[in-house]
PDB file of all heavy atoms in Angstrom:
ATOM      1  N   CYS A   1     -16.535 -19.835  -3.813  1.00 92.00           N
ATOM      2  CA  CYS A   1     -15.259 -20.479  -4.222  1.00 92.00           C
ATOM      3  C   CYS A   1     -14.595 -21.296  -3.201  1.00 92.00           C
ATOM      4  O   CYS A   1     -13.557 -21.828  -3.409  1.00 92.00           O
ATOM      5  CB  CYS A   1     -14.289 -19.471  -4.678  1.00 92.00           C
ATOM      6  SG  CYS A   1     -14.736 -18.579  -6.222  1.00 92.00           S
ATOM      7  N   GLY A   2     -15.191 -21.522  -2.043  1.00 90.00           N
ATOM      8  CA  GLY A   2     -14.590 -22.287  -0.957  1.00 90.00           C
ATOM      9  C   GLY A   2     -13.637 -21.302  -0.196  1.00 90.00           C
ATOM     10  O   GLY A   2     -13.519 -20.124  -0.475  1.00 90.00           O
ATOM     11  N   PRO A   3     -13.036 -21.817   0.890  1.00 91.00           N
ATOM     12  CA  PRO A   3     -12.226 -20.929   1.738  1.00 91.00           C
ATOM     13  C   PRO A   3     -10.876 -20.607   0.949  1.00 91.00           C
ATOM     14  O   PRO A   3     -10.238 -21.506   0.505  1.00 91.00           O
ATOM     15  CB  PRO A   3     -11.969 -21.816   3.007  1.00 91.00           C
ATOM     16  CG  PRO A   3     -12.171 -23.293   2.497  1.00 91.00           C
ATOM     17  CD  PRO A   3     -13.240 -23.230   1.483  1.00 91.00           C
ATOM     18  N   ILE A   4     -10.607 -19.298   0.911  1.00 93.00           N
ATOM     19  CA  ILE A   4      -9.363 -18.873   0.288  1.00 93.00           C
ATOM     20  C   ILE A   4      -8.583 -18.010   1.341  1.00 93.00           C
ATOM     21  O   ILE A   4      -9.146 -16.997   1.812  1.00 93.00           O
ATOM     22  CB  ILE A   4      -9.549 -18.068  -1.004  1.00 93.00           C
ATOM     23  CG1 ILE A   4     -10.333 -18.987  -2.041  1.00 93.00           C
ATOM     24  CG2 ILE A   4      -8.381 -17.467  -1.580  1.00 93.00           C
ATOM     25  CD1 ILE A   4     -10.676 -18.257  -3.274  1.00 93.00           C
ATOM     26  N   ALA A   5      -7.396 -18.403   1.611  1.00 87.00           N
ATOM     27  CA  ALA A   5      -6.677 -17.784   2.779  1.00 87.00           C
ATOM     28  C   ALA A   5      -5.888 -16.611   2.229  1.00 87.00           C
ATOM     29  O   ALA A   5      -5.688 -16.432   1.053  1.00 87.00           O
ATOM     30  CB  ALA A   5      -5.692 -18.864   3.372  1.00 87.00           C
ATOM     31  N   PHE A   6      -5.521 -15.729   3.219  1.00 90.00           N
ATOM     32  CA  PHE A   6      -4.601 -14.651   3.133  1.00 90.00           C
ATOM     33  C   PHE A   6      -5.087 -13.385   2.339  1.00 90.00           C
ATOM     34  O   PHE A   6      -4.428 -12.303   2.515  1.00 90.00           O
ATOM     35  CB  PHE A   6      -3.296 -15.156   2.443  1.00 90.00           C
ATOM     36  CG  PHE A   6      -2.482 -16.138   3.307  1.00 90.00           C
ATOM     37  CD1 PHE A   6      -2.463 -17.412   2.941  1.00 90.00           C
ATOM     38  CD2 PHE A   6      -1.903 -15.693   4.463  1.00 90.00           C
ATOM     39  CE1 PHE A   6      -1.691 -18.302   3.694  1.00 90.00           C
ATOM     40  CE2 PHE A   6      -1.176 -16.586   5.286  1.00 90.00           C
ATOM     41  CZ  PHE A   6      -1.130 -17.942   4.857  1.00 90.00           C
ATOM     42  N   VAL A   7      -6.122 -13.540   1.544  1.00 94.00           N
ATOM     43  CA  VAL A   7      -6.563 -12.322   0.804  1.00 94.00           C
ATOM     44  C   VAL A   7      -7.005 -11.215   1.791  1.00 94.00           C
ATOM     45  O   VAL A   7      -6.552 -10.095   1.743  1.00 94.00           O
ATOM     46  CB  VAL A   7      -7.718 -12.653  -0.176  1.00 94.00           C
ATOM     47  CG1 VAL A   7      -8.234 -11.421  -0.863  1.00 94.00           C
ATOM     48  CG2 VAL A   7      -7.234 -13.701  -1.208  1.00 94.00           C
ATOM     49  N   GLY A   8      -7.922 -11.603   2.730  1.00 92.00           N
ATOM     50  CA  GLY A   8      -8.444 -10.652   3.744  1.00 92.00           C
ATOM     51  C   GLY A   8      -7.333 -10.180   4.708  1.00 92.00           C
ATOM     52  O   GLY A   8      -7.541  -9.183   5.288  1.00 92.00           O
ATOM     53  N   LEU A   9      -6.275 -10.909   4.808  1.00 90.00           N
ATOM     54  CA  LEU A   9      -5.115 -10.612   5.765  1.00 90.00           C
ATOM     55  C   LEU A   9      -4.170  -9.562   5.103  1.00 90.00           C
ATOM     56  O   LEU A   9      -3.828  -8.589   5.581  1.00 90.00           O
ATOM     57  CB  LEU A   9      -4.533 -11.791   6.329  1.00 90.00           C
ATOM     58  CG  LEU A   9      -3.281 -11.600   7.094  1.00 90.00           C
ATOM     59  CD1 LEU A   9      -3.619 -10.798   8.437  1.00 90.00           C
ATOM     60  CD2 LEU A   9      -2.573 -12.893   7.479  1.00 90.00           C
ATOM     61  N   VAL A  10      -3.731  -9.948   3.869  1.00 91.00           N
ATOM     62  CA  VAL A  10      -2.617  -9.209   3.232  1.00 91.00           C
ATOM     63  C   VAL A  10      -3.135  -7.993   2.428  1.00 91.00           C
ATOM     64  O   VAL A  10      -2.440  -6.944   2.433  1.00 91.00           O
ATOM     65  CB  VAL A  10      -1.818 -10.199   2.355  1.00 91.00           C
ATOM     66  CG1 VAL A  10      -0.792  -9.473   1.516  1.00 91.00           C
ATOM     67  CG2 VAL A  10      -1.225 -11.371   3.175  1.00 91.00           C
ATOM     68  N   VAL A  11      -4.274  -8.130   1.724  1.00 93.00           N
ATOM     69  CA  VAL A  11      -4.694  -7.087   0.824  1.00 93.00           C
ATOM     70  C   VAL A  11      -4.860  -5.678   1.547  1.00 93.00           C
ATOM     71  O   VAL A  11      -4.452  -4.649   1.044  1.00 93.00           O
ATOM     72  CB  VAL A  11      -5.959  -7.489   0.069  1.00 93.00           C
ATOM     73  CG1 VAL A  11      -6.664  -6.362  -0.451  1.00 93.00           C
ATOM     74  CG2 VAL A  11      -5.596  -8.504  -0.999  1.00 93.00           C
ATOM     75  N   PRO A  12      -5.477  -5.654   2.769  1.00 93.00           N
ATOM     76  CA  PRO A  12      -5.625  -4.323   3.387  1.00 93.00           C
ATOM     77  C   PRO A  12      -4.285  -3.677   3.658  1.00 93.00           C
ATOM     78  O   PRO A  12      -4.188  -2.390   3.696  1.00 93.00           O
ATOM     79  CB  PRO A  12      -6.336  -4.774   4.713  1.00 93.00           C
ATOM     80  CG  PRO A  12      -7.048  -5.944   4.453  1.00 93.00           C
ATOM     81  CD  PRO A  12      -6.214  -6.753   3.460  1.00 93.00           C
ATOM     82  N   HIS A  13      -3.178  -4.423   3.918  1.00 90.00           N
ATOM     83  CA  HIS A  13      -1.960  -3.761   4.090  1.00 90.00           C
ATOM     84  C   HIS A  13      -1.434  -3.119   2.808  1.00 90.00           C
ATOM     85  O   HIS A  13      -0.786  -2.059   2.842  1.00 90.00           O
ATOM     86  CB  HIS A  13      -0.912  -4.799   4.628  1.00 90.00           C
ATOM     87  CG  HIS A  13      -1.301  -5.221   6.029  1.00 90.00           C
ATOM     88  ND1 HIS A  13      -0.985  -4.516   7.122  1.00 90.00           N
ATOM     89  CD2 HIS A  13      -1.861  -6.362   6.528  1.00 90.00           C
ATOM     90  CE1 HIS A  13      -1.406  -5.176   8.276  1.00 90.00           C
ATOM     91  NE2 HIS A  13      -1.957  -6.308   7.851  1.00 90.00           N
ATOM     92  N   VAL A  14      -1.619  -3.873   1.719  1.00 90.00           N
ATOM     93  CA  VAL A  14      -1.272  -3.291   0.376  1.00 90.00           C
ATOM     94  C   VAL A  14      -2.084  -1.995   0.184  1.00 90.00           C
ATOM     95  O   VAL A  14      -1.534  -0.920  -0.292  1.00 90.00           O
ATOM     96  CB  VAL A  14      -1.518  -4.266  -0.758  1.00 90.00           C
ATOM     97  CG1 VAL A  14      -1.219  -3.658  -2.129  1.00 90.00           C
ATOM     98  CG2 VAL A  14      -0.708  -5.596  -0.511  1.00 90.00           C
ATOM     99  N   ALA A  15      -3.388  -2.024   0.522  1.00 93.00           N
ATOM    100  CA  ALA A  15      -4.184  -0.863   0.347  1.00 93.00           C
ATOM    101  C   ALA A  15      -3.699   0.303   1.176  1.00 93.00           C
ATOM    102  O   ALA A  15      -3.751   1.448   0.725  1.00 93.00           O
ATOM    103  CB  ALA A  15      -5.649  -1.275   0.666  1.00 93.00           C
ATOM    104  N   ARG A  16      -3.313  -0.031   2.395  1.00 90.00           N
ATOM    105  CA  ARG A  16      -2.783   1.013   3.287  1.00 90.00           C
ATOM    106  C   ARG A  16      -1.527   1.699   2.758  1.00 90.00           C
ATOM    107  O   ARG A  16      -1.353   2.942   2.870  1.00 90.00           O
ATOM    108  CB  ARG A  16      -2.575   0.507   4.696  1.00 90.00           C
ATOM    109  CG  ARG A  16      -3.587   0.822   5.650  1.00 90.00           C
ATOM    110  CD  ARG A  16      -3.279   0.316   7.072  1.00 90.00           C
ATOM    111  NE  ARG A  16      -4.443  -0.349   7.584  1.00 90.00           N
ATOM    112  CZ  ARG A  16      -4.542  -1.685   7.624  1.00 90.00           C
ATOM    113  NH1 ARG A  16      -3.605  -2.429   7.161  1.00 90.00           N
ATOM    114  NH2 ARG A  16      -5.657  -2.215   8.134  1.00 90.00           N
ATOM    115  N   ARG A  17      -0.705   0.863   2.143  1.00 88.00           N
ATOM    116  CA  ARG A  17       0.531   1.447   1.488  1.00 88.00           C
ATOM    117  C   ARG A  17       0.243   2.384   0.377  1.00 88.00           C
ATOM    118  O   ARG A  17       0.921   3.365   0.083  1.00 88.00           O
ATOM    119  CB  ARG A  17       1.417   0.276   1.057  1.00 88.00           C
ATOM    120  CG  ARG A  17       2.073  -0.547   2.165  1.00 88.00           C
ATOM    121  CD  ARG A  17       3.010   0.200   2.972  1.00 88.00           C
ATOM    122  NE  ARG A  17       4.150   0.695   2.245  1.00 88.00           N
ATOM    123  CZ  ARG A  17       5.326   0.063   2.065  1.00 88.00           C
ATOM    124  NH1 ARG A  17       5.483  -1.117   2.692  1.00 88.00           N
ATOM    125  NH2 ARG A  17       6.287   0.511   1.389  1.00 88.00           N
ATOM    126  N   LEU A  18      -0.803   2.112  -0.257  1.00 91.00           N
ATOM    127  CA  LEU A  18      -1.279   2.908  -1.454  1.00 91.00           C
ATOM    128  C   LEU A  18      -2.132   4.067  -1.036  1.00 91.00           C
ATOM    129  O   LEU A  18      -1.983   5.232  -1.674  1.00 91.00           O
ATOM    130  CB  LEU A  18      -2.088   2.078  -2.515  1.00 91.00           C
ATOM    131  CG  LEU A  18      -1.236   0.876  -3.127  1.00 91.00           C
ATOM    132  CD1 LEU A  18      -2.254   0.046  -3.991  1.00 91.00           C
ATOM    133  CD2 LEU A  18      -0.091   1.394  -3.941  1.00 91.00           C
ATOM    134  N   ALA A  19      -3.039   3.972  -0.122  1.00 92.00           N
ATOM    135  CA  ALA A  19      -4.021   4.922   0.192  1.00 92.00           C
ATOM    136  C   ALA A  19      -3.782   5.705   1.495  1.00 92.00           C
ATOM    137  O   ALA A  19      -4.554   6.614   1.772  1.00 92.00           O
ATOM    138  CB  ALA A  19      -5.345   4.281   0.220  1.00 92.00           C
ATOM    139  N   GLY A  20      -2.825   5.337   2.361  1.00 88.00           N
ATOM    140  CA  GLY A  20      -2.625   6.052   3.563  1.00 88.00           C
ATOM    141  C   GLY A  20      -3.505   5.405   4.710  1.00 88.00           C
ATOM    142  O   GLY A  20      -3.816   4.227   4.659  1.00 88.00           O
ATOM    143  N   VAL A  21      -3.874   6.293   5.668  1.00 89.00           N
ATOM    144  CA  VAL A  21      -4.509   5.840   6.844  1.00 89.00           C
ATOM    145  C   VAL A  21      -6.038   6.089   6.941  1.00 89.00           C
ATOM    146  O   VAL A  21      -6.649   5.699   7.899  1.00 89.00           O
ATOM    147  CB  VAL A  21      -3.849   6.382   8.176  1.00 89.00           C
ATOM    148  CG1 VAL A  21      -2.430   5.968   8.205  1.00 89.00           C
ATOM    149  CG2 VAL A  21      -4.005   7.922   8.073  1.00 89.00           C
ATOM    150  N   ASP A  22      -6.565   6.772   5.884  1.00 92.00           N
ATOM    151  CA  ASP A  22      -7.919   7.175   5.829  1.00 92.00           C
ATOM    152  C   ASP A  22      -8.848   5.958   5.284  1.00 92.00           C
ATOM    153  O   ASP A  22      -8.684   5.525   4.174  1.00 92.00           O
ATOM    154  CB  ASP A  22      -8.163   8.307   4.893  1.00 92.00           C
ATOM    155  CG  ASP A  22      -9.589   8.879   5.051  1.00 92.00           C
ATOM    156  OD1 ASP A  22     -10.513   8.194   5.532  1.00 92.00           O
ATOM    157  OD2 ASP A  22      -9.794  10.002   4.598  1.00 92.00           O
ATOM    158  N   TYR A  23      -9.689   5.389   6.241  1.00 94.00           N
ATOM    159  CA  TYR A  23     -10.445   4.187   5.860  1.00 94.00           C
ATOM    160  C   TYR A  23     -11.449   4.434   4.726  1.00 94.00           C
ATOM    161  O   TYR A  23     -11.962   3.528   4.082  1.00 94.00           O
ATOM    162  CB  TYR A  23     -11.132   3.586   7.068  1.00 94.00           C
ATOM    163  CG  TYR A  23     -10.269   2.643   7.825  1.00 94.00           C
ATOM    164  CD1 TYR A  23      -9.404   2.997   8.853  1.00 94.00           C
ATOM    165  CD2 TYR A  23     -10.264   1.204   7.446  1.00 94.00           C
ATOM    166  CE1 TYR A  23      -8.568   2.057   9.479  1.00 94.00           C
ATOM    167  CE2 TYR A  23      -9.332   0.393   8.048  1.00 94.00           C
ATOM    168  CZ  TYR A  23      -8.591   0.786   9.113  1.00 94.00           C
ATOM    169  OH  TYR A  23      -7.786  -0.156   9.695  1.00 94.00           O
ATOM    170  N   ARG A  24     -11.808   5.688   4.506  1.00 94.00           N
ATOM    171  CA  ARG A  24     -12.680   6.053   3.387  1.00 94.00           C
ATOM    172  C   ARG A  24     -12.029   5.788   2.035  1.00 94.00           C
ATOM    173  O   ARG A  24     -12.718   5.570   1.067  1.00 94.00           O
ATOM    174  CB  ARG A  24     -13.077   7.524   3.499  1.00 94.00           C
ATOM    175  CG  ARG A  24     -14.021   7.836   4.696  1.00 94.00           C
ATOM    176  CD  ARG A  24     -14.265   9.318   4.802  1.00 94.00           C
ATOM    177  NE  ARG A  24     -12.957  10.062   4.984  1.00 94.00           N
ATOM    178  CZ  ARG A  24     -12.925  11.367   5.094  1.00 94.00           C
ATOM    179  NH1 ARG A  24     -14.040  12.138   5.033  1.00 94.00           N
ATOM    180  NH2 ARG A  24     -11.686  11.981   5.370  1.00 94.00           N
ATOM    181  N   TRP A  25     -10.720   5.692   2.046  1.00 95.00           N
ATOM    182  CA  TRP A  25      -9.962   5.316   0.821  1.00 95.00           C
ATOM    183  C   TRP A  25      -9.419   3.880   0.971  1.00 95.00           C
ATOM    184  O   TRP A  25      -9.377   3.175  -0.093  1.00 95.00           O
ATOM    185  CB  TRP A  25      -8.777   6.259   0.636  1.00 95.00           C
ATOM    186  CG  TRP A  25      -9.229   7.642   0.171  1.00 95.00           C
ATOM    187  CD1 TRP A  25      -9.070   8.757   0.907  1.00 95.00           C
ATOM    188  CD2 TRP A  25      -9.779   7.978  -1.038  1.00 95.00           C
ATOM    189  NE1 TRP A  25      -9.602   9.887   0.259  1.00 95.00           N
ATOM    190  CE2 TRP A  25      -9.991   9.386  -0.990  1.00 95.00           C
ATOM    191  CE3 TRP A  25     -10.068   7.290  -2.191  1.00 95.00           C
ATOM    192  CZ2 TRP A  25     -10.560  10.103  -2.037  1.00 95.00           C
ATOM    193  CZ3 TRP A  25     -10.750   7.936  -3.278  1.00 95.00           C
ATOM    194  CH2 TRP A  25     -10.870   9.310  -3.220  1.00 95.00           C
ATOM    195  N   ILE A  26      -9.081   3.472   2.140  1.00 95.00           N
ATOM    196  CA  ILE A  26      -8.515   2.083   2.335  1.00 95.00           C
ATOM    197  C   ILE A  26      -9.535   1.044   1.859  1.00 95.00           C
ATOM    198  O   ILE A  26      -9.148   0.058   1.153  1.00 95.00           O
ATOM    199  CB  ILE A  26      -8.122   1.867   3.829  1.00 95.00           C
ATOM    200  CG1 ILE A  26      -6.930   2.652   4.173  1.00 95.00           C
ATOM    201  CG2 ILE A  26      -7.846   0.350   4.084  1.00 95.00           C
ATOM    202  CD1 ILE A  26      -6.524   2.603   5.703  1.00 95.00           C
ATOM    203  N   VAL A  27     -10.775   1.137   2.246  1.00 96.00           N
ATOM    204  CA  VAL A  27     -11.744   0.136   1.934  1.00 96.00           C
ATOM    205  C   VAL A  27     -11.995  -0.065   0.424  1.00 96.00           C
ATOM    206  O   VAL A  27     -11.870  -1.176  -0.089  1.00 96.00           O
ATOM    207  CB  VAL A  27     -13.053   0.433   2.658  1.00 96.00           C
ATOM    208  CG1 VAL A  27     -14.187  -0.555   2.242  1.00 96.00           C
ATOM    209  CG2 VAL A  27     -12.871   0.195   4.201  1.00 96.00           C
ATOM    210  N   PRO A  28     -12.318   1.010  -0.329  1.00 97.00           N
ATOM    211  CA  PRO A  28     -12.369   0.778  -1.751  1.00 97.00           C
ATOM    212  C   PRO A  28     -11.113   0.346  -2.414  1.00 97.00           C
ATOM    213  O   PRO A  28     -11.128  -0.468  -3.376  1.00 97.00           O
ATOM    214  CB  PRO A  28     -12.868   2.159  -2.223  1.00 97.00           C
ATOM    215  CG  PRO A  28     -12.556   3.183  -1.216  1.00 97.00           C
ATOM    216  CD  PRO A  28     -12.604   2.414   0.051  1.00 97.00           C
ATOM    217  N   TYR A  29      -9.942   0.920  -1.948  1.00 97.00           N
ATOM    218  CA  TYR A  29      -8.659   0.428  -2.503  1.00 97.00           C
ATOM    219  C   TYR A  29      -8.512  -1.076  -2.229  1.00 97.00           C
ATOM    220  O   TYR A  29      -8.075  -1.842  -3.154  1.00 97.00           O
ATOM    221  CB  TYR A  29      -7.500   1.108  -1.831  1.00 97.00           C
ATOM    222  CG  TYR A  29      -7.067   2.393  -2.601  1.00 97.00           C
ATOM    223  CD1 TYR A  29      -7.829   3.509  -2.706  1.00 97.00           C
ATOM    224  CD2 TYR A  29      -5.766   2.414  -3.158  1.00 97.00           C
ATOM    225  CE1 TYR A  29      -7.420   4.665  -3.333  1.00 97.00           C
ATOM    226  CE2 TYR A  29      -5.297   3.572  -3.861  1.00 97.00           C
ATOM    227  CZ  TYR A  29      -6.171   4.646  -3.957  1.00 97.00           C
ATOM    228  OH  TYR A  29      -5.713   5.803  -4.588  1.00 97.00           O
ATOM    229  N   ALA A  30      -8.901  -1.509  -1.019  1.00 97.00           N
ATOM    230  CA  ALA A  30      -8.690  -2.965  -0.694  1.00 97.00           C
ATOM    231  C   ALA A  30      -9.623  -3.794  -1.511  1.00 97.00           C
ATOM    232  O   ALA A  30      -9.218  -4.915  -1.960  1.00 97.00           O
ATOM    233  CB  ALA A  30      -9.098  -3.237   0.779  1.00 97.00           C
ATOM    234  N   GLY A  31     -10.821  -3.333  -1.890  1.00 97.00           N
ATOM    235  CA  GLY A  31     -11.709  -4.151  -2.724  1.00 97.00           C
ATOM    236  C   GLY A  31     -11.095  -4.270  -4.088  1.00 97.00           C
ATOM    237  O   GLY A  31     -11.119  -5.422  -4.664  1.00 97.00           O
ATOM    238  N   LEU A  32     -10.607  -3.227  -4.699  1.00 97.00           N
ATOM    239  CA  LEU A  32     -10.003  -3.376  -6.064  1.00 97.00           C
ATOM    240  C   LEU A  32      -8.710  -4.112  -6.027  1.00 97.00           C
ATOM    241  O   LEU A  32      -8.479  -4.912  -6.937  1.00 97.00           O
ATOM    242  CB  LEU A  32      -9.804  -1.907  -6.591  1.00 97.00           C
ATOM    243  CG  LEU A  32     -11.024  -1.119  -7.040  1.00 97.00           C
ATOM    244  CD1 LEU A  32     -10.637   0.245  -7.491  1.00 97.00           C
ATOM    245  CD2 LEU A  32     -11.823  -1.861  -8.055  1.00 97.00           C
TER     246      LEU A  32
END
């Protein structure tokens, strides 16, 4: 789709707010 900004920067922070600090949950949360 070409370069799309801010998704990779902002989404992980949203995932952290939802899933806590465990990356085993942060990563799948960030994908969805």
Side-chain angles (χ1 to χ4, degrees):
C1 292
I4 297 177
F6 293 110
V7 178
L9 174 63
V10 175
V11 163
H13 292 283
V14 178
R16 258 184 229 102
R17 293 294 298 267
L18 298 174
V21 297
D22 189 342
Y23 272 93
R24 292 173 298 179
W25 290 110
I26 289 174
V27 171
Y29 267 68
L32 290 176

